[in-house]
């Protein structure tokens, strides 16, 4: 079981460089970073976690810049976004950023994809809320055209690109793509059509959800492989890890506190689990 981490890195937290070095030295498997470009002061969108929105949401570092710093000072740990709000990006620009980071890190990138919950933030990017899911799917297809081995054109409902020279390419042709979001037929259809797997937040009710995800996966003609499922922002215990292992899960992502020394103390607390569950790499 690979034990990775996620944290809300801001201008007030531990730096990406220090955290990445600590993770690599302590045997953790990876670092995933969330994304919000900004948080409008006047907002009607409810916070999915309930209650007041934590202030760190409005102070997040750009995940690609932070992960580039992490890549530069490590050799082993995986790097991921958890998640990228794809509809809020120009897909041609995003394809270049993703490919460059994957190339420079030696193929260590996972692209976590989200549809977003903050309508006001998305609308400031010109996103039409009702069609954002379709826009994400369209953007991913355009990005894959730019990552193709040969110049490939794409003409979609939300964007298009001419057949182009576009280098560097992701190391393995494309990064691993995992969709975040709540269980349901719409998300599972998106995963089966466009991704390699799922980032379920918290991981509760996973056994029942996996049956539905695998059914959607097979219905899309992908039965020769299995969707990768990476429980995200979990509180790991030996019993929980055993449960995940029985379900075929091989990686979990643990949430770290934002205060620098508290984050390091959490890494210390998790050391026995990492030693027991993570294979030597």
């Amino acid at each position: 079981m690979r034990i990775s981490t996620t944290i809300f890195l801001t201008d007030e937290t531990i730096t990406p460089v220090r955290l990445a070095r600590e993770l690599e030295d302590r045997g953790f498997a990876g670092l995933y970073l969330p994304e919000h470009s900004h948080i409008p002061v006047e907002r009607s969108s409810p916070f999915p976690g309930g209650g007041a929105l934590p202030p760190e949401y409005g102070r997040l570092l750009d995940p690609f810049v932070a992960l580039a710093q992490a890549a530069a000072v490590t050799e082993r740990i995986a790097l991921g976004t958890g998640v990228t709000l794809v509809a809020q990006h120009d897909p041609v620009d995003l394809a270049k950023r993703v490919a460059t980071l994957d190339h420079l890190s030696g193929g260590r990138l996972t692209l976590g994809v989200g549809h977003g919950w903050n309508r006001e933030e998305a609308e400031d990017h010109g996103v039409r809320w009702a069609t954002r899911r379709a826009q994400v799917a369209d953007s991913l297809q355009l990005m894959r055209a730019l990552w193709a081995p040969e110049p490939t054109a794409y003409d979609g409902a939300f964007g298009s690109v001419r057949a182009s020279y576009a280098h560097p390419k992701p190391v393995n042709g494309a990064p691993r793509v995992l969709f975040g979001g709540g269980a349901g037929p719409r998300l599972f259809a998106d995963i089966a059509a466009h991704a390699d797997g799922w980032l379920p937040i918290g991981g509760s009710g996973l056994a029942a959800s996996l049956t539905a995800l695998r059914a959607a996966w097979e219905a899309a003609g992908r039965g020769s492989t299995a969707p990768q499922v990476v429980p995200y922002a979990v509180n790991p215990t030996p019993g929980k890890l055993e449960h995940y292992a029985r379900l075929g899960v091989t990686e979990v992502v643990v949430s770290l506190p934002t205060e620098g020394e508290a984050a390091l103390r959490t890494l210390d607390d998790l050391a026995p689990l990492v030693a027991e569950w993570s294979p030597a790499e």
Side-chain angles (χ1 to χ4, degrees):
M1 183 72 67
R2 293 165 51 82
I3 300 179
S4 297
T5 61
T6 185
I7 186 173
F8 282 76
L9 285 183
T10 77
D11 56 331
E12 298 179 328
T13 65
I14 189 173
T15 67
V17 166
R18 184 181 180 196
L19 179 59
R21 285 172 169 157
E22 293 284 353
L23 292 172
E24 182 132 303
D25 290 346
R26 297 164 188 248
F28 285 84
L31 173 63
Y32 291 74
L33 297 180
E35 174 182 57
H36 283 283
S37 60
H38 66 296
I39 301 295
V41 174
E42 295 184 4
R43 176 177 54 84
S44 60
S45 300
F47 173 45
L53 184 71
E56 56 263 29
Y57 275 74
R59 306 190 73 103
L60 287 172
L61 303 182
D62 180 297
F64 291 99
V65 176
L67 289 171
Q69 281 202 326
V73 297
T74 59
E75 297 181 353
R76 178 188 58 78
I77 61 169
L79 308 164
T81 58
V83 291
T84 298
L85 301 171
V86 170
Q88 296 180 189
H89 290 268
D90 177 301
V92 176
D93 178 66
L94 184 59
K96 172 68 77 171
R97 295 170 72 187
V98 168
T100 299
L101 180 53
D102 191 70
H103 168 74
L104 291 176
S105 67
R108 289 188 276 159
L109 182 64
T110 290
L111 179 64
V113 172
H115 297 109
W117 59 265
N118 190 340
R119 181 171 184 156
E120 291 79 12
E121 176 187 357
E123 289 178 345
D124 283 347
H125 286 275
V127 176
R128 292 183 59 195
W129 193 245
T131 58
R132 72 193 190 284
R133 289 176 177 271
Q135 183 177 347
V136 167
D138 192 71
S139 292
L140 287 172
Q141 290 176 276
L142 188 154
M143 291 162 66
R144 290 185 188 279
L146 288 167
W147 297 335
E150 299 297 329
T152 301
Y154 178 77
D155 187 13
F158 294 86
S160 62
V161 67
R162 297 172 175 84
S164 303
Y165 300 111
H167 293 267
K169 304 294 185 184
V171 171
N172 295 307
R176 181 175 67 160
V177 176
L178 303 177
F179 270 63
R186 184 164 55 172
L187 178 70
F188 291 165
D190 286 339
I191 291 171
H194 304 293
D196 301 298
W198 182 30
L199 289 169
I201 304 298
S204 62
L206 190 57
S209 297
L210 279 179
T211 300
L213 173 58
R214 287 167 178 159
W217 192 262
E218 293 177 5
R222 302 184 68 179
S224 61
T225 62
Q228 299 179 45
V229 177
V230 181
Y232 194 84
V234 302
N235 179 23
T237 64
K240 189 174 290 186
L241 294 180
E242 289 170 5
H243 172 66
Y244 290 149
R246 288 194 296 269
L247 295 176
V249 170
T250 60
E251 181 184 6
V252 298
V253 181
V254 180
S255 184
L256 300 178
T258 56
E259 194 275 317
E261 296 308 315
L264 297 182
R265 288 193 295 271
T266 299
L267 296 184
D268 289 336
D269 293 341
L270 291 169
L273 281 179
V274 172
E276 178 181 358
W277 284 88
S278 292
E281 300 187 23

